Amino acid sequence: MQILDRRLNPSGRSLPNRQRFLRRAKSLVQEAVRDASAKRDIRSADEGGEVSIPLHGIREPSFHHGGGGTRDHVLPGNKEYREGDEIQRPPSGGGGGGSEGSPDGGGEDAFRFVLSREEFLSLFLDDLELPDLAKRRLVEGSDPAWHRAGYSVAGTPSNLSLARTMRNSLSRRIALKRPKPEAVAALEAEIAALEGQPGTEDKIAALKAELEIQLRRSQRIPWIDPIDVRYRRFEPVPRPVARAVMFCLMDVSGSMTEEMKDLAKRFYTLLYIFLQRRYKHVEIVFIRHTHEASEVDEETFFHSRETGGTLVSTALEEMRKVVADRYPPSDWNIYAAQASDGDNAAGDSQRTARLLIDEILPACQYYAYIEVGRDGEHGMPGFPRGPTDLWRTYEQLVSAGAPMAMKKVRNRREIFPVFRELFAKRGLLEEAKA
Amino acid sequence: MNAPVSTAQLLYEGADWDFNTLMRIHDACEVVAVRDLGLDYYTNRIEIISAEQMLDAYASTGLPLFYRHWSFGKQFAQHEALYRKGLRGLAYEIVINSDPCLSYVMEENTATLQALVIAHAAFGHNHFFKNNRLFKEWTDAKGILDYLEFAKGYIADCEDRYGEIAVERVLDSAHALMNYGVHRHHRRAIDLRSEELRERERRAHDEQMYNVLWSTLPERSAGASAVANDVEKRRAMLQLPHENILYFLEKSAPRLAPWQREVLRIVRNVAQYFHPQRQTKMMNEGCATYVHHRILNTLHAEGQITDGALLEALHSHSSVIMQPDFDDPRYSGINPYALGFAMMEDIERICREPTEEDREWFPDFAGCGDPMPVLRHGWAEFRDESFILQFLSPHLMRKFKLFHLQDDVAQPVLRVDAMHDERGYRRLRRALAKQYDPAWTDPDIQVVDVDLSGDRRLVLEHRVAAGRLLEEQEARQVLRHLASLWSYDVLLREIDPQTGASLREHAVSPPR
């Protein structure tokens, strides 16, 4: 009888099976994840959760009886039936509630299970990619990687290099002429053979002296000496770390309603999650603007109200300053997302376009413009609404080949699709176009 | 309840336990098991696991180590979702038919539950595994853990060599046919250790004998040997008809690679290992439940556990053996614990205080006084089906108020064929026993012919019993798996065993 405590065994024994399952059902699960994420709140967008996938895709078939033929049920709990009674067939589920009455009839047609946050995100962001290569940079204080760097005479026992140690020991033993055990044994055998034979006393004495020397030598010269011991040496090598900064630019003038801000916030959150998965270190800068711009904290950014006109160029100017001050483009991967209802002062378009082309876009990895509007605002009968000022400005830039993306969002539902579209893998996008 | 006991004798107090407590409980149970019940069991090994590990164990059909496959991941996900929602609790224990016998017990269990579990699994199930004829003949308790280790390593090795997808394809197909991967009739105790050795040796031999010169020999011209196209001779050569489809594929499928054959063999051996469990579920649980009931009551009578502990144990016990009536929404078939335990208790009653009826039905042992020899004999020599045929008493049929319902789909109504009365007992008992007979519940499908010299089509037959045809869609899916292993066309004929007339045919070609 033995009692073993297995609780400390590594957990997650079935993880490889789970990964195989997710791979197997990938397309189904991905679809389910998209559906689920479209419905759920952005704040919980990066949580795991229950998804359900159609069962037919992951069924394991086996031979069993279908309907038809004669079946027998032996059931407990008879109350009023007598032999020969006839009972109306229950409308569904086979006979008399028997468990094996209808293997084909019952059963759920959906398979529900829980995905972890990691799994959820990786499935959700699976076919998305960051535009442009990430810049890597050595940063102070990041944890170094350890590389092998020869051998040393000191170290921890776990790093003991047995092969090197034994090689040293062997060469030392040869150099110092430590007798091999076989040589000693051969001497002893020779002595034993001569022992008792007449006229060999001298020889025996000589051999014994020789043996004496050999034995003493093998005692003096150790098999392994501390000077033989070598350890594998490791050297710290600083690891390049990719860092990213995300600029959130938003128009907070009176024309932006809470609803619109909420839409923008959802987009920023998604972008943040996405960046966090790709970079070890992500910083966020919030810049809000009316007719003047300032860097603020998140709370102020989303919730405090401002009044004033709308000058988009001020925000870009502020961003340029911040970049110049703290985020040199050579060290940082810079992402910017701008949200606005599309208003801009009439004379500002020129300046905005110039700033973008000359200063902002060259420094950025990616620049996305999200135009938010109220649901149902567009296409209202009698009030045809053309593209906004800002949209027109940016459209000209894009058609001239500027590396930026722009999208309109009118409803929460559109946030996920728009986000996916902006970051779809280029290959996929081109395939889709072709 | 009876004489007041001094606390010094108590095995434990309260709900907490540690290893010493478990040790004391085990030893106390052992005394009762040997002295009062005369049990004979493998050495015990009790392992304590957490809830997550219990879920892990569920997912791999209760085995401590198993090869990797997506279907286990699916099961895990399903159990986990139900468990997290609180829709389903976890079992208190899992026990493995191995020598030494492994019992997994949950860390959350109270001391009383641990006592219950140890008595139930480490003595009840353990005795059954060691003594039941089916387990003795069909499983190798000593070798199973090593074999599983080998299987896991072998499949992982194959995944490295041939890719996860290729291995998964073979496993999927093999799993679909798993129920048809058991020998039902031949008797050969399998020795898993030599099984593993054999595979190692064969591979080593192949590697040693490999000589590149052989590949330079000119191929023998086709048709040189005249093939005897004699059906009888061919069937005899291939040992047809064959009920073990996986075995047949492993030996005769023309285009499988050696590793694929070995994978089929692994799945087949695992299926064979579980085959006795399917046939003895009710008895096995009945035996274990009876044993824990006796042991805990004895411990209480001897003052080794408190009244409170006994009540807690009885509470668990009675919820385990609950049998809802057929019209109860909770009803989901006859509870194997309930019927099993009731039969064991009934045998005890017949031995101790038989009625006239019992003397008439069970003249061999009614009133013999000591139930243990009768029970031990029953546990050793029977399976569910034969055990019911032999031991189910009229008393019990009345107690369960059993009745037999005949359901002919062609008829508009169900007919009550037999009930718990003088005229119905024997018919009722036969009908119940039949439900525990895999030969009746599983479709009878065999490989009957294959045209090796022609188009290599594999022909199977389903001998349709009581007009129950196969569920068509799934049958086709399974056949597709079968065809992909066989690599050529497959035909399944559903025939009427009386007339030999074909009722339905399914033909499937292998995926290209």
Side-chain angles (χ1 to χ4, degrees), chain A residues 100-352:
Chain A
E100 50 163 39
S102 60
D104 50 336
E108 285 180 65
D109 51 357
F111 180 78
R112 307 182 71 81
F113 64 101
V114 178
L115 285 174
S116 73
R117 175 177 185 270
E118 275 298 302
E119 288 166 340
F120 192 91
L121 281 181
S122 76
L123 283 164
F124 178 67
L125 302 172
D126 182 53
D127 47 1
L128 302 184
E129 71 172 7
L130 280 174
D132 295 331
L133 281 174
K135 300 167 197 165
R136 287 173 183 276
R137 175 85 192 164
L138 295 182
V139 189
E140 301 261 328
S142 62
D143 48 332
W146 292 88
H147 283 264
R148 276 295 302 278
Y151 297 92
S152 80
V153 293
T156 62
S158 63
N159 283 334
L160 180 71
S161 167
L162 214 56
R164 188 54 76 108
T165 303
M166 291 317 291
R167 200 202 294 174
N168 286 345
S169 144
L170 181 65
S171 46
R172 185 182 46 79
R173 276 179 277 135
I174 293 171
L176 295 179
K177 298 206 175 69
R178 185 185 198 266
K180 290 184 176 159
E182 303 93 77
V184 175
L187 267 176
E188 279 170 346
E190 205 177 334
I191 293 169
L194 293 176
E195 204 107 76
Q197 286 180 29
T200 55
E201 284 80 15
D202 288 353
K203 199 163 184 204
I204 288 179
L207 284 173
K208 279 196 168 158
E210 174 69 14
L211 181 65
E212 180 71 12
I213 292 171
Q214 299 284 34
L215 282 178
R216 210 171 330 129
R217 186 168 274 167
S218 53
Q219 262 174 8
R220 285 257 175 82
I221 306 169
W223 180 259
I224 293 181
D225 200 78
I227 59 167
D228 300 335
V229 179
R230 290 293 178 278
Y231 298 92
R232 292 187 293 271
R233 206 167 77 82
F234 291 88
E235 223 168 34
V237 175
R239 220 181 342 211
V241 172
R243 294 183 297 182
V245 58
M246 170 178 150
F247 282 91
C248 302
L249 311 177
M250 188 163 69
D251 178 3
V252 291
S253 61
S255 58
M256 282 285 279
T257 60
E258 280 300 312
E259 213 178 306
M260 288 168 166
K261 283 189 195 172
D262 185 53
L263 281 181
K265 181 172 183 176
R266 278 157 197 275
F267 186 82
Y268 293 139
T269 319
L270 265 188
L271 183 61
Y272 182 62
I273 293 168
F274 186 43
L275 290 178
Q276 258 188 334
R277 282 185 65 80
R278 293 293 188 280
Y279 293 96
K280 269 206 151 160
H281 183 76
V282 182
E283 288 189 12
I284 313 184
V285 175
F286 295 102
I287 296 174
R288 63 171 189 179
H289 73 88
T290 54
H291 62 278
E292 52 186 16
S294 55
E295 192 189 338
V296 293
D297 60 27
E298 186 177 349
E299 187 59 32
T300 328
F301 185 72
F302 284 114
H303 297 298
S304 86
R305 293 186 160 278
E306 283 286 303
T307 52
T310 314
L311 282 174
V312 174
S313 61
T314 54
L316 296 178
E317 180 62 34
E318 177 73 21
M319 174 172 166
R320 191 190 64 76
K321 260 192 256 163
V322 174
V323 167
D325 279 359
R326 305 194 325 244
Y327 303 103
S330 56
D331 292 5
W332 289 83
N333 297 288
I334 300 175
Y335 294 85
Q338 182 188 5
S340 161
D341 57 354
D343 286 342
N344 197 7
D348 193 47
S349 301
Q350 278 286 314
R351 197 172 135 68
T352 307

Side-chain angles (χ1 to χ4, degrees), chain B residues 127-163:
Chain B
H127 169 86
F128 197 85
F129 289 146
K130 189 173 176 188
N131 293 280
N132 185 267
R133 180 172 280 277
L134 274 103
F135 285 91
K136 272 178 160 168
E137 272 173 15
W138 291 109
T139 67
D140 174 13
K142 261 204 161 51
I144 184 65
L145 293 180
D146 288 342
Y147 187 72
L148 289 174
E149 179 90 53
F150 158 75
K152 187 181 177 192
Y154 190 88
I155 301 240
D157 197 32
C158 285
E159 284 183 343
D160 287 347
R161 284 178 188 219
Y162 311 106

